[in-house]
C-alpha cells in the first residue's frame, strides 16, 4: 500500500481496493488462528488460556521470524526431528 501512495499520480480507488483486500486477508488470518486454537490437542489449561487473554498488545516492529523475507526458504531449514500429523513433536516416552 505504501508503494501505491508513492506513485506519481495518486489513485485513491486503487489504494482503497488494496486496503480492503488487506483487511479481508487479516480477517481470514484471525479466523484461521482462532480455529486452530480451538482444535488444539490437548486443550489449553485454564492457566494457559488466562495468559493468552492477558497478552500485551502487539506494537509492531520486526515481523515474526517465519515471515521475514530475508530468511532462508523453508526447504533449506535444518530438520527438527519427527513430527506428528499436526506438525508437533511426538510426546515424551514414559520411563
Amino acid at each position: 500500500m505504501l508503494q501505491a501512495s508513492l506513485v506519481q499520480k495518486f489513485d485513491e480507488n486503487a489504494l482503497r481496493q488494496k486496503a480492503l483486500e488487506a483487511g479481508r486477508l487479516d480477517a481470514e488470518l484471525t479466523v484461521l488462528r482462532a480455529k486452530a486454537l480451538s482444535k488444539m490437542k490437548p486443550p489449553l489449561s485454564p492457566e494457559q488460556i488466562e495468559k493468552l487473554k492477558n497478552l500485551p498488545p502487539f506494537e509492531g516492529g520486526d515481523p515474526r521470524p517465519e515471515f521475514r523475507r530475508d530468511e532462508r526458504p523453508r526447504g533449506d531449514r535444518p530438520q527438527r526431528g519427527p513430527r506428528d500429523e499436526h506438525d508437533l513433536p511426538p510426546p515424551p516416552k514414559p520411563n
Side-chain angles (χ1 to χ4, degrees), residues 9-26:
K9 184 177 181 220
F10 178 72
D11 185 349
E12 183 176 344
N13 288 329
L15 184 57
R16 188 175 308 280
Q17 289 300 323
K18 289 181 185 294
L20 287 170
E21 180 63 14
R24 187 189 70 73
L25 291 171
D26 189 44

Side-chain angles (χ1 to χ4, degrees), residues 37 40 44-56:
L37 193 57
M40 288 186 71
L44 297 176
S45 70
E47 294 82 17
Q48 290 170 317
I49 292 171
E50 199 57 39
K51 282 183 182 179
L52 284 175
K53 286 180 181 179
N54 294 310
L55 285 175

Side-chain angles (χ1 to χ4, degrees), residues 71-85:
E71 192 173 8
R72 297 177 299 177
R74 280 196 176 269
D76 292 345
R77 292 187 181 170
Q79 294 292 20
R80 299 177 292 180
R83 310 296 274 187
D84 69 7
E85 70 273 10

